[in-house]
Amino acid sequence: MDKVGIVGFYQVKLYSDANYGRYEMIFEAVRGAIDSAGLKKKDITTAISCTNDYYDGRTISNCYTVEVGGGYMADESKVEMDGAHAVLYGLMRILSGNHKLSLVWGGSMASCFPYHAARLYETDPTWERPVAYVNDITAAGFQMRAYLEKYGVSIEDIAKIAVKNRKNASRNPLALQEAQNANITVKDVLDSEIYADPVTELMVAQPCDGVAALLLAPEKQALKITDNPVWITGVGYNQETYYLGDRDLTKSMSMELAGKMAFDAAGIKDPKKEIDLAEFFEAYAHEEVIFSEALGLVDMGEGTNLNSEIDGDIPINPSGGAIGGNPPCGTGLIRIIEAAKQLKGEADGYQVKDAKKAIASGQIGMCAQNNIVYILEGGN
Amino acid sequence: MTEKLVVTNKGFVRADFSFWVGLYMDKFYDSFENKKIIGNKCSKCGKVFVPPRKKCGKCNETIPLDNNWVNLPNTGTLLNYTITHYKVSDRAARKAKKPQIIGMVQIDGSDTAIVYRLLNIDIENVKIGMKLKIEWEEKPKGNPADIKGFVQV
Ligand SMILES: [Zn+2]
């Protein structure tokens, strides 16, 4: 695929209760991204957003974000999945050859609604929803137990992932304050409230308020805008079946296939050797392990043995990942921005040394039913 | 952000939604009225689905409405479980009185699992692989709540 440049980005600070309106937050992110590239609103040729009607409390929720979201009298559209899927839409607009600058933004305010109860609306309305035993958290409980049982991994090993990400988040000034903890221990994670056994509260990527935005441009245009763009050289996406009872929850088939597609596009033969870091949308600590295995960064069943610290073999979520703050519809987009920061050497305080190639991923659905993977490369 | 600046508005609109269950699920729920569970079978790979469905995704095979139904027993195996204090539908209101055990149960003769509560089983006695059977409502109405949950055989 032709490489596409990330030429600007901005993320607002994440809050559990931002206490200011979503429209101001969207404006801050969009304005910030345009400013970061030294451009003007009129330079945007297509504006893609990612929000969710239910999370926004209104239908066709982009009808009201036109002005603040860079869509006024413009080529504008919306994706109702993860922000990383909106980036795919923006990317395809660029690859169509019809656009010179694509603005993509995503996010919402989880402080306005009971996020996990709302996830019940994702379930089959004629079968699972009336009895209400499935939502994102019970699904995660099933998946974590399935993984532990299959590989004989301990709960402590999964808690360590949450510890790493919360410590990393403490070095990221934009992460959610409640998630930042430089002194957290495995015991703290295990002693936190049980959400759906074996998943405890501190293993969960807490839904919060936040918006992020980025700008994409075709190669030639990107080099006119900046001499230090980050290139998207591969993308892959995949969806598996809906019912949890149809799936093998010990692994992520959709992540594996999305990864293959992205690696093929970017010409990556051995991800273990070629990838310098990964930013995953891990809605739960165990997902990070399952994703690392699905992408071949580590052997199956060995995910918890990977040294994924900032100075480790393959750093994963140096920013703190989604556990560092999870604004619905923004989280996957933030992963792409964080990976881009690493490749530009701008991850002040949590910079991975010599980062040249990175993975960023987004997801949506119960137990990450749908996954999307980007390969990002630095330098021009 | 410091002091509370924003007055929130509940902003509810009453607009209830009704779902058609569809022809396959209609048959499925009809069988509930007789305290029976049925699945349907893909003619290509032989996989038996509960709940029944029109398409086998793997084979891209349409399962005909009038054929391929399989009568299944009330028994099954526990494949997986989770324990939660929360009511899934009402997490904001916090905890249910007692933690509930929610299981993924594979009905004998089927190849998929369904999610229901486990009843009258102590947490320390839950074991993956244990044999279970459906506890039906006394007077089933033809909906998913007719299955009260699963009890140990
Ligand atoms: Zn089949």
Side-chain angles (χ1 to χ4, degrees), chain A residues 15 17-21 57 112 114 116-117 120 124-143 145-146 149 193-199 201 241 243-247 249, chain B residues 1-6 11 19-21 25 28-29 32 37 47 49-51 53 80-86 88-92 94-95 100 102-104 111-117 128 144-145 147-148:
Chain A
Y15 289 103
D17 187 353
N19 202 11
Y20 64 120
C112 297
H116 299 296
L120 186 64
D124 182 340
T126 67
W127 169 233
E128 293 159 325
R129 204 188 296 169
V131 287
Y133 301 130
V134 180
N135 73 346
D136 56 322
I137 292 182
T138 53
F142 288 136
Q143 183 163 44
R145 172 159 283 107
E149 288 277 328
E193 201 167 1
I194 293 170
Y195 264 35
D197 175 82
V199 172
E201 185 177 2
T241 192
Y243 289 112
L244 296 175
D246 287 18
R247 292 165 58 183
L249 297 178
Chain B
M1 300 292 123
T2 48
E3 58 188 308
K4 192 87 188 165
L5 297 170
V6 179
F19 291 94
W20 288 101
V21 297
M25 289 303 273
F28 185 58
Y29 290 136
F32 277 26
I37 191 155
K47 210 171 165 178
F49 295 104
V50 180
R53 59 206 73 176
N80 196 344
Y81 66 93
T82 185
I83 304 161
T84 183
H85 279 83
Y86 289 103
V88 168
S89 57
D90 196 14
R91 193 162 296 269
R94 311 306 281 182
K95 291 181 166 180
Q100 39 181 358
I102 302 173
M104 292 180 71
D111 296 289
T112 59
I114 61 175
V115 178
Y116 271 94
R117 264 189 311 168
I128 288 177
I147 297 178
K148 275 168 45 183

Side-chain angles (χ1 to χ4, degrees), chain B residues 39-111:
Chain B
N40 71 351
K41 187 176 190 167
C42 169
S43 328
K44 243 187 184 168
C45 67
K47 210 171 165 178
V48 175
F49 295 104
V50 180
R53 59 206 73 176
K54 192 181 171 83
K55 271 291 193 202
C56 172
K58 197 175 161 213
C59 306
N60 193 29
E61 182 79 0
T62 303
I63 306 175
L65 179 65
D66 298 329
N67 278 310
N68 297 42
W69 290 95
V70 184
N71 291 318
L72 296 167
N74 282 336
T75 54
T77 307
L78 183 67
L79 295 190
N80 196 344
Y81 66 93
T82 185
I83 304 161
T84 183
H85 279 83
Y86 289 103
K87 290 177 184 168
V88 168
S89 57
D90 196 14
R91 193 162 296 269
R94 311 306 281 182
K95 291 181 166 180
K97 270 194 201 127
K98 263 175 69 181
Q100 39 181 358
I101 309 169
I102 302 173
M104 292 180 71
V105 184
Q106 182 175 5
I107 297 287
D108 292 332
S110 77
D111 296 289

Side-chain angles (χ1 to χ4, degrees), chain A residues 59-80:
Chain A
T59 56
I60 337 255
S61 60
N62 54 326
C63 69
Y64 206 69
T65 57
V66 172
E67 288 81 3
V68 290
Y72 179 74
M73 300 308 281
D75 179 304
E76 187 269 353
S77 191
K78 168 182 156 182
V79 174
E80 188 140 346

Side-chain angles (χ1 to χ4, degrees), chain A residues 163 166-170 177-185 188:
Chain A
V163 166
R166 286 171 187 276
K167 281 187 174 169
N168 288 353
S170 73
Q177 192 192 341
E178 289 83 342
Q180 296 172 316
N181 189 339
N183 304 312
I184 191 169
T185 65
D188 294 335

Side-chain angles (χ1 to χ4, degrees), chain B residues 13-32:
Chain B
V13 176
R14 185 81 195 247
D16 291 343
F17 203 99
S18 302
F19 291 94
W20 288 101
V21 297
L23 299 170
Y24 290 74
M25 289 303 273
D26 190 44
K27 278 211 176 198
F28 185 58
Y29 290 136
D30 278 352
S31 75
F32 277 26

